[in-house]
Amino acid sequence: MSIARAGVAGSKPRIQVTRTGVSTARLPAASVRLPLNEILVGDCVAELGKLPAASVDLVFADPPYNLQLEGALSRPDQSVVDAVDDDWDKFASFSEYDRFTRDWLTAVRRVMKPEATIFVIGSYHNIFRVGTILQDMGFWILNDIVWRKANPMPNFRGRRFTNAHETMIWAGRSAQTKAYTFNYETLKAGNNDCQVRSDWFLPICTGAERLKDAQGRKTHPTQKPEALLARIIMSASKPGDVVLDPFFGSGTTGAVAKKLGRDFIGTERDAVYAKAARARIAATEPLPDDAVNAPPAKRSEPRVAFASVVEAGFISAGETLVDDKRRFKAVVRADGSLLMSGIVASIHKAGALAQGLPACNGWVFWNVERNGKLVSIDDMRGTIRAQMKEAAE
């Protein structure tokens, strides 16, 4: 969150019109080298213009918030708060901030792959303007995510609610972005087998993680916690993907990307911040592959019909399937369908009918009894998939 106003210096780029009506600069030649794991010091729009088009998999953007602070902010004891009062966060008007936002988003969108996604973080000062511009430019919003801070800074004047959260917008490059990365199963497994919600409760950056200069002052006023970036990167990228941060600041994105086996590209206008970020990333050790490699998503695994489970002898025709609470029963037919209350249906349709629901994943709903214990039919599907993989090798 440290780059000042965007704008490409030098000659005016040749313009081409996209189907969404957004003008983008002419694409660089495909032979341009991708500066992986480097911090490009300079204006973000100018530096991004040097990158190949469609070259990054994920973007995290922490732009200036346009906080509009007027004068110093003091605590009740009259001590001064170390707030964001840098020139890079000052804009003459909302229209100037909007032009800045459109410029950097245009530059970012050009380098995003067709299935890439972007996270943009902000506060009430700017995030609603950013969201409008994202939609106007043709980005497709997937979620808004609330980062609820465990330890927010209090409102010292007592005239407003404590600002205890920031908002992130997660969006695809366009409405046609369908095959974007979302590691649903991995996230769920780490969340007690529950879907991860769009409200994230995480502390702000403090303690040893906070970078400080030789005088003990914050190196960067808005350093984001590594836990926040870790969740973003693990959610929406794969090992080996390229993560772009156009407002690199203190280098949190780069440090976390390195830990998690991703490549990064950062742009940063302030040479002091860039120097601190390089030192931080150089001292960061990658995690072992086993700790970061995501298991294959179930949707990407080979399809297995329930009839194959019957044919393989894991379940015999005539056996009874039950749900995990033994409320519903269905008889397995020789063709792999189920008979339940006189109705013949698939494992999925039978599970849905039993519960009065429009749909059901029969693999996780039905079980078979073995030695007095219930065994999920999904375990049997897993065995067949393993056999298929072994045969393919």
Side-chain angles (χ1 to χ4, degrees):
M1 181 171 156
S2 61
I3 306 299
R5 288 104 179 110
V8 179
S11 60
K12 186 176 181 180
R14 183 177 176 181
I15 301 299
Q16 64 181 32
V17 179
T18 69
R19 294 177 67 182
T20 60
V22 179
S23 296
T24 56
R26 187 178 182 181
L27 306 184
S31 61
V32 176
R33 182 185 68 87
L34 199 59
L36 296 179
N37 305 315
E38 294 184 19
I39 305 172
L40 310 177
V41 179
D43 175 271
C44 65
V45 173
E47 295 303 320
L48 291 177
K50 302 172 185 177
L51 300 182
S55 56
V56 304
D57 301 286
L58 175 66
V59 180
F60 172 74
D62 184 12
Y65 287 7
N66 192 23
L67 297 178
Q68 310 146 50
L69 293 181
E70 298 178 359
L73 180 62
S74 300
R75 298 182 177 88
D77 63 2
Q78 300 308 305
S79 60
V80 178
V81 176
D82 186 10
V84 181
D85 55 3
D86 303 79
D87 288 340
W88 49 259
D89 193 55
K90 296 177 181 176
F91 295 83
S93 64
F94 286 129
S95 60
E96 181 184 333
Y97 185 80
D98 291 349
R99 283 193 297 272
F100 161 78
T101 301
R102 282 190 292 271
D103 285 347
W104 73 258
L105 278 173
T106 299
V108 163
R109 193 167 189 258
R110 185 189 66 80
V111 300
M112 291 173 66
K113 294 179 181 178
E115 303 305 331
T117 60
I118 178 173
F119 286 80
V120 185
I121 191 169
S123 65
Y124 69 87
H125 303 87
N126 72 322
I127 198 63
F128 303 108
R129 308 189 75 86
V130 172
T132 297
I133 294 169
L134 278 166
Q135 290 184 314
D136 288 345
M137 291 179 64
F139 289 89
W140 190 258
I141 294 179
L142 302 169
N143 274 117
D144 67 324
I145 298 164
V146 173
W147 168 28
R148 190 158 63 95
K149 301 176 181 179
N151 49 345
M153 180 183 294
N155 186 279
F156 295 110
R157 292 174 179 167
R159 300 293 301 277
R160 302 184 185 184
F161 297 107
T162 298
N163 294 323
H165 77 278
E166 293 182 28
T167 300
M168 288 187 292
I169 297 174
W170 181 37
R173 189 184 183 279
S174 72
Q176 287 69 50
T177 303
K178 303 295 185 182
Y180 55 86
T181 297
F182 181 53
N183 297 313
Y184 173 81
E185 287 89 358
T186 301
L187 295 171
K188 187 176 178 181
N191 193 46
N192 295 326
D193 287 326
C194 295
Q195 293 182 353
V196 175
R197 293 160 42 122
S198 61
D199 53 336
W200 299 357
F201 185 63
L202 298 167
I204 63 174
C205 184
T206 57
E209 188 180 316
R210 169 69 76 172
L211 299 189
K212 295 183 178 180
D213 61 19
Q215 287 72 44
R217 298 171 299 193
K218 297 176 184 176
T219 300
H220 193 287
T222 62
Q223 181 179 335
K224 293 299 183 288
E226 291 193 4
L228 179 69
L229 268 298
R231 185 172 294 186
I232 290 169
I233 291 173
M234 288 189 293
S235 298
S237 71
K238 302 182 291 292
D241 278 356
V242 178
V243 183
L244 169 69
D245 186 338
F247 307 98
F248 205 66
S250 59
T252 303
T253 300
V256 175
K258 183 177 179 181
K259 279 185 180 179
L260 298 178
R262 278 71 166 172
D263 292 311
F264 71 86
I265 300 173
T267 65
E268 174 54 54
R269 184 168 181 172
D270 190 307
V272 174
Y273 293 159
K275 181 179 179 181
R278 286 195 185 98
R280 175 186 185 182
I281 294 167
T284 299
E285 293 294 332
L287 293 172
D289 289 345
D290 289 346
V292 298
N293 286 341
K298 289 185 177 180
R299 292 178 182 177
S300 68
E301 294 181 322
R303 295 182 64 86
V304 176
F306 181 62
S308 299
V309 176
V310 177
E311 292 164 352
F314 291 106
I315 295 177
S316 301
E319 282 197 89
T320 300
L321 301 186
V322 296
D323 68 299
D324 57 0
K325 295 183 179 179
R326 292 185 169 87
R327 296 168 299 175
F328 308 108
K329 297 180 179 181
V331 176
V332 177
R333 288 165 42 91
D335 60 3
S337 61
L338 301 185
L339 177 63
M340 186 184 68
S341 301
I343 298 173
V344 176
S346 70
I347 58 171
H348 309 298
K349 186 66 175 178
L353 290 172
Q355 301 172 87
L357 298 175
C360 169
N361 183 345
W363 288 110
V364 298
F365 181 75
W366 293 111
N367 307 272
V368 65
E369 190 163 333
R370 293 284 187 269
N371 300 319
K373 295 182 179 180
L374 295 183
V375 178
S376 171
I377 63 172
D378 199 28
D379 293 344
M380 300 171 184
R381 178 173 65 161
T383 300
I384 292 178
R385 279 176 167 165
Q387 293 171 349
M388 292 170 66
K389 182 178 179 182
E390 184 177 346
E393 295 175 347

